[in-house]
Amino acid sequence: MELKIATWNVNSVRARLSVVIRWLEKEKPDVLCMQELKATLEQFPFEEFENLGYHCAVNGQVRWNGVAVVSLSEPAAIETDLNGFLPEQSRMISTGIHGIRLINVYVPNGSEVDDPRFKDKLRYYEVLRNYAEGFDRPTVIVGDFNVAPGPDDTHSPEQQDGTVCYHPLERKQIQLFEKHGFRDVFRKYHPQGKAYSWWDYRAASFRRNRGMRLDLVLADETAMERITDCFIDKEPRKWEKPSDHTPVLFKIEVSE
DNA sequence: ATGGCCGGGAAGCCCGGA
């Protein structure tokens, strides 16, 4: 059977609830990985997801961060500890789904290049790589990586070069994932051309299509062999009260 | 005509996002 799995930074699951539910009813993915819940476990709207048949695995936090995996089949072996790194920030949830290890992350934004949080961001990629290599294959990492991997993944690469989310040290980290066998799945299916998953709320960025591709699917070789497609769904970015991100989806063949 | 936003929690602004 084939699973359809999505990743989406929803920018508050409570503010976005009607948009997310509408999208689930339209797209009917088997799994949705969400980032930036901006909600605690207690605040998470379980009922609305369960009404559509989804199980919810939630790593919540007050005000900021927060990630969740909602899935039609019950997830196994849920983990929220990223090898002890940044324990006070809820940025990772990892589950077993139909024999796949699915890791859902919200990588720190980094604030500014000269901010101490930028160092945490760079370190985050390394710790995540070590964590992801600790599982039996196949393994897929999805989420908001907060970096555009290459010049086709952002609207103005020349002007943005060296700034947060398009800094050479950040891009190098994505190249290191590739060196460790985790490929950028979207670019396998769309090797050429500008493609974005995020558009700033300001400056009419969406209408002018000035965006960045920050939301990635990285798959190891075993997972890549089973993946059949990967694409960005721009539709919900056009709806009322949208998130500034839009969903990225992929399809993967699993035995049962 | 080229850009002026959004969410949460505490408070009537500030922080964070990217």
Side-chain angles (χ1 to χ4, degrees), chain A residues 129-173:
Chain A
R129 224 160 31 239
N130 289 334
Y131 176 78
E133 289 180 323
F135 292 97
D136 294 334
R137 297 176 169 199
T139 300
V140 183
I141 315 168
V142 305
D144 180 355
F145 282 73
N146 264 320
V147 55
D152 275 355
D153 302 313
T154 189
H155 56 89
S156 309
E158 293 80 11
Q159 291 95 309
Q160 291 175 289
D161 194 10
T163 64
V164 69
C165 297
Y166 196 64
H167 192 283
L169 291 174
E170 296 168 305
R171 281 177 275 150
K172 185 187 165 195
Q173 287 297 325

Side-chain angles (χ1 to χ4, degrees), chain A residues 49-60:
Chain A
F49 289 96
E50 289 168 354
N51 286 343
L52 296 180
Y54 289 97
H55 296 82
C56 303
V58 178
N59 181 14

Side-chain angles (χ1 to χ4, degrees), chain A residues 217-232:
Chain A
V217 178
L218 304 184
D220 72 15
E221 193 181 345
T222 318
M224 193 61 97
E225 287 167 2
R226 301 186 185 191
I227 292 175
T228 57
D229 198 8
C230 184
F231 56 97
I232 297 170

Side-chain angles (χ1 to χ4, degrees), chain A residues 125-221:
Chain A
Y125 297 113
E126 294 180 26
V127 178
L128 174 61
R129 224 160 31 239
N130 289 334
Y131 176 78
E133 289 180 323
F135 292 97
D136 294 334
R137 297 176 169 199
T139 300
V140 183
I141 315 168
V142 305
D144 180 355
F145 282 73
N146 264 320
V147 55
D152 275 355
D153 302 313
T154 189
H155 56 89
S156 309
E158 293 80 11
Q159 291 95 309
Q160 291 175 289
D161 194 10
T163 64
V164 69
C165 297
Y166 196 64
H167 192 283
L169 291 174
E170 296 168 305
R171 281 177 275 150
K172 185 187 165 195
Q173 287 297 325
I174 299 303
Q175 289 161 15
L176 284 171
F177 274 100
E178 301 260 357
K179 272 193 181 144
H180 285 246
F182 287 93
R183 282 190 61 192
D184 180 351
V185 177
F186 179 84
R187 283 299 177 198
K188 179 184 175 184
Y189 293 94
H190 312 272
Q192 305 288 330
K194 295 280 190 183
Y196 313 133
S197 64
W198 169 86
W199 298 262
D200 200 312
Y201 283 125
R202 293 166 292 191
S205 299
F206 185 64
R207 185 170 61 72
R208 296 192 294 153
N209 197 27
R210 292 167 59 87
M212 302 179 82
R213 190 170 68 90
L214 307 177
D215 302 277
L216 308 180
V217 178
L218 304 184
D220 72 15
E221 193 181 345

Side-chain angles (χ1 to χ4, degrees), chain A residues 242-253:
Chain A
S243 169
D244 44 357
H245 295 252
T246 210
V248 180
L249 299 95
F250 70 101
K251 293 179 178 176
I252 185 165
E253 194 66 38

Side-chain angles (χ1 to χ4, degrees), chain A residues 85-98:
Chain A
F85 190 56
L86 299 181
E88 71 287 358
Q89 301 182 27
S90 298
R91 294 183 176 274
M92 194 283 292
I93 189 163
S94 151
T95 68
I97 299 271
H98 296 271

